[in-house]
Amino acid sequence: MQAAGGRIDAVTQEIIEGKLLATVDEMGIVMARTSMSPVIYEVLDFACGVLTAEGELVAQMNGITLFTGTFGAQVKALIARFGDSLADGDILLTNDPYAGGTHACDFAIVKPIFFEGVLLAYAINVAHYLDVGGSVPGSLAPDATSVFQEGLRLPGVKIARADAFCDDILHIIRENVRLPDVALGDLTAQVATVRVAARRMGEIAEKYGALTVRGAFTQLLSTSERLSRAAIAALPDGIYRADDVIDGDGVSAAAIPVTVAVTIDGDRITADFTGCPPAVAGPINCARGALESAVRTIVKALVGPQAPSNEGWFRPLSVVAPPGTIFTAEKPSPTGWYYEGSVHASELVWKALAPLMPARFSAGSYSSLCVVYISGRDDQGAPFIHIEPQHGGWGASEGRDGANALIALTDGDTYNYSVEAIEARFPLIVRRYALNVEGGVGAGRRRGGFGIIREYEIRAEGAEAYCSFGRTATMPWGMAGGLSGTANSLQVRCGASGHTREFGRAPHISLSPGDVLRIVTGGGGGWGTPTEREKHLIEQDLTDGLLSEAAARDTYGYQKELNP
């Protein structure tokens, strides 16, 4: 199996890498088919991976983008906690934002995988739970000022020993969440996935031997590192800076300026967030694990966007940030809406590097996941919690218009609900789902992509909602003369009076039957001077109903030819 010099022969290496990818994909299928939360089996708000015995990621399914960099940090935190006390049959749980995680709603289930009594690898599944307790249904109060308002934290516990559940931990979970049967059902599904991974890794070790499997891990990581360094080295050395603004933190509407300096030096890249403000009062902070992951997302797009993700791609990357900032929050700073902060870290690096790769990196996007929580009781009196990330407009690139209705940068390979699923499970009717044409996009030689409008009519008595939208005041940025994109917003039209209220980050919105909750996501930024847009593209947008004749004339200088 091993060639001269300790290297694994090419055929064996390919087989083992294929087995790794098949394993994480199988984990994902099992999770989607056995979980109980629609945010998991419909939205696919989870991800699965396999890591080395040292906690380095070697395979990850296509899932939540922002988990790309948290897996290793979470597993290494567990290794530091448990050391040599781990045994075959142990299964661990952590949802600690300050130990490599994201927020308390993301439960990480980790299984150390032993072969012939020796630790071979780790399997991990991180999934978003509908509720983990805390001050509001869904656990993500937009105005939380402490992590203790954001639900139950279990920062590194054994939920199984000798492959048998620890009833005390399950009892703690059951008694601290609003939907205990759903939570424990999702936990059981996660455990099933890591057990699948253990079986598959055992099969490959049985066939090729543990030494060969470990060697294949090493070779895979080294190959990815070499490719990453070559891609970075092909870029011009220099320091590339970007600034942006976060529109409030949920407690205050005050603008929050953020900054980054990205240095390319030979085959290394450094993202330095020195100068960003201290952690804010509200819950849009992210901890260091989420920051690392946010930056890795962009670096992966830079060095190998199509290749499977693993730790090797990120060995040339350094992330510099003082502790206690908005991107490196520490206990007890709230992190419930961490993705609203971390997406700005991603976009800062994206914005800094966009001029280097204009064909691949676009102008600014709608950024925010524009999540709304709707909760209450259905016709049978059972509690419900509806959570759904929304799609929006992405920015244009040098050669292409921006993508319409695409999920935000942090969320990766996730989906929204089908209309049928929403109306079957919740006391809601979807009245409209369309491109946000009236809101517009950033004009340019290449225009931004369109956001969406999604309307829910409330059918339950006493329902409530809350939200935390970014990009409500600071628009997606344009590039090379392109214009800025458009805003996100939540609008609620009262069914009785017809009066409409508008929100950005709102902790409590009372709803009555007949009210219509309208989610509006913005259009992306443009690229290039609008007056340089080709005539046939303007006419195509006119034909498709994406552009009015007045806007074509005023923005693009378009003059319709009269027939002779």
Side-chain angles (χ1 to χ4, degrees):
M1 309 300 175
Q2 288 187 307
R7 289 183 59 82
I8 312 301
D9 70 82
V11 173
T12 302
Q13 181 72 28
E14 188 73 17
I15 291 171
I16 292 175
E17 290 183 17
K19 182 73 169 183
L20 284 169
L21 295 175
T23 296
V24 294
D25 284 347
E26 184 181 1
M27 293 171 72
I29 292 169
V30 170
M31 186 64 184
R33 289 183 175 178
T34 60
S35 61
M36 295 186 67
S37 297
V39 74
I40 294 177
Y41 63 74
E42 289 283 345
V43 176
L44 305 184
D45 193 346
F46 71 95
C48 304
V50 173
L51 303 94
T52 69
E54 295 73 36
E56 291 195 287
L57 180 71
V58 289
Q60 177 185 345
M61 63 167 280
N62 288 331
I64 296 292
T65 308
L66 202 67
F67 293 161
T68 297
T70 63
F71 283 173
Q74 288 173 300
V75 170
K76 288 174 183 177
L78 292 171
I79 292 171
R81 172 168 170 74
F82 290 101
D84 296 331
S85 69
L86 294 174
D88 199 0
D90 285 347
I91 301 177
L92 315 176
L93 183 159
T94 183
N95 67 333
D96 190 355
Y98 316 110
T102 50
H103 60 184
C105 286
D106 287 336
F107 270 36
I109 301 299
V110 177
K111 181 174 176 60
I113 300 170
F114 289 81
F115 181 74
E116 296 180 346
V118 179
L119 184 63
L120 175 68
Y122 289 90
I124 187 170
N125 177 317
V126 179
H128 183 101
Y129 280 37
L130 276 177
D131 183 273
V132 294
S135 62
V136 297
S139 309
L140 300 186
D143 59 348
T145 56
S146 167
V147 71
F148 298 110
Q149 298 168 291
E150 297 180 329
L152 176 67
R153 283 190 306 123
L154 295 165
V157 297
K158 291 187 179 183
I159 60 164
R161 299 173 189 268
D163 272 326
F165 277 115
C166 299
D167 290 339
D168 288 347
I169 300 298
L170 299 186
H171 183 67
I172 289 171
I173 295 172
R174 175 174 287 278
E175 292 302 316
N176 280 276
V177 305
R178 292 175 176 83
L179 302 172
D181 291 339
V182 172
L184 293 180
D186 290 340
L187 188 147
T188 303
Q190 286 185 280
V191 168
T193 68
V194 296
R195 286 174 171 164
V196 165
R199 289 197 298 272
R200 299 298 176 249
M201 289 300 97
E203 291 167 1
I204 202 75
E206 185 71 36
K207 182 174 183 179
Y208 292 105
L211 184 63
T212 297
V213 172
R214 293 191 189 96
F217 289 171
T218 299
Q219 201 158 300
L220 168 63
L221 296 173
S222 297
T223 299
S224 297
E225 178 184 2
R226 185 175 65 254
L227 294 172
S228 182
R229 290 187 182 279
I232 295 168
L235 298 172
D237 287 358
I239 300 176
Y240 305 93
R241 302 182 187 275
D243 302 291
D244 205 347
V245 173
I246 301 175
D247 296 331
D249 64 0
V251 174
S252 167
I256 305 165
V258 288
T259 187
V260 75
V262 179
T263 300
I264 296 176
D265 183 9
D267 63 355
R268 293 198 56 81
I269 185 168
T270 301
D272 188 345
F273 292 88
T274 301
C276 288
V280 293
I284 64 158
N285 302 295
C286 67
R288 189 175 293 273
L291 171 65
E292 293 265 358
S293 198
V295 177
R296 287 181 173 203
T297 299
I298 310 308
V299 170
K300 185 63 167 57
L302 180 75
V303 299
Q306 304 301 327
S309 187
N310 62 65
E311 192 76 24
W313 293 102
F314 311 114
R315 287 176 174 172
L317 169 67
S318 298
V319 179
V320 177
T325 73
I326 192 171
F327 296 138
T328 54
E330 298 180 318
K331 184 180 175 181
S333 293
T335 64
W337 293 81
Y338 78 95
Y339 44 84
E340 292 298 319
S342 61
V343 72
H344 283 274
S346 294
E347 283 228 328
L348 279 168
V349 178
W350 185 285
K351 186 177 183 180
L353 295 176
L356 294 182
M357 302 195 76
R360 187 181 299 174
F361 281 14
S362 63
S365 77
Y366 81 116
S367 302
S368 173
L369 280 174
C370 297
V371 171
V372 179
Y373 277 77
I374 308 172
S375 65
R377 292 188 175 273
D378 61 21
D379 294 341
Q380 287 72 46
F384 73 90
I385 301 173
H386 173 59
I387 169 181
E388 183 181 17
Q390 300 294 341
H391 297 60
W394 279 53
S397 58
E398 185 179 45
R400 299 183 63 178
D401 290 344
N404 302 324
L406 189 66
I407 198 65
L409 187 61
T410 52
D411 240 34
D413 195 12
T414 58
Y415 301 88
N416 59 1
Y417 289 86
S418 68
V419 172
E420 293 80 5
I422 289 176
E423 296 184 347
R425 287 196 58 94
F426 304 105
L428 304 170
I429 296 177
V430 180
R431 290 299 185 193
R432 185 184 181 193
Y433 190 32
L435 291 179
N436 179 19
V437 176
E438 53 260 50
V441 298
R445 183 172 184 271
R446 298 291 173 258
R447 61 159 173 80
F450 287 89
I452 61 96
I453 295 174
R454 195 159 169 99
E455 293 183 351
Y456 306 101
E457 181 181 334
I458 308 302
R459 307 297 292 174
E461 295 282 354
E464 298 179 342
Y466 61 85
C467 65
S468 187
F469 284 23
R471 294 276 185 234
T472 55
T474 305
M475 301 300 101
W477 37 273
M479 288 291 297
L483 303 187
S484 298
T486 58
N488 305 312
S489 70
L490 173 66
Q491 301 163 7
V492 178
R493 186 178 72 246
C494 176
S497 68
H499 175 68
T500 297
R501 297 169 288 165
E502 190 161 348
F503 304 93
R505 305 193 196 275
H508 177 78
I509 305 169
S510 296
L511 300 170
S512 299
D515 289 354
V516 174
L517 190 149
R518 186 174 192 252
I519 297 169
V520 178
T521 66
W527 191 296
T529 305
T531 54
E532 295 179 355
R533 186 165 177 81
E534 294 87 336
K535 181 180 178 181
H536 73 277
L537 295 178
I538 298 171
E539 292 176 340
Q540 186 64 57
D541 283 349
L542 286 167
T543 299
D544 293 340
L546 301 176
L547 184 67
S548 69
E549 289 194 10
R553 180 182 63 251
D554 297 341
T555 303
Y556 295 105
Y558 173 76
Q559 297 293 330
K560 186 176 181 179
E561 292 184 4
L562 299 176
N563 292 326

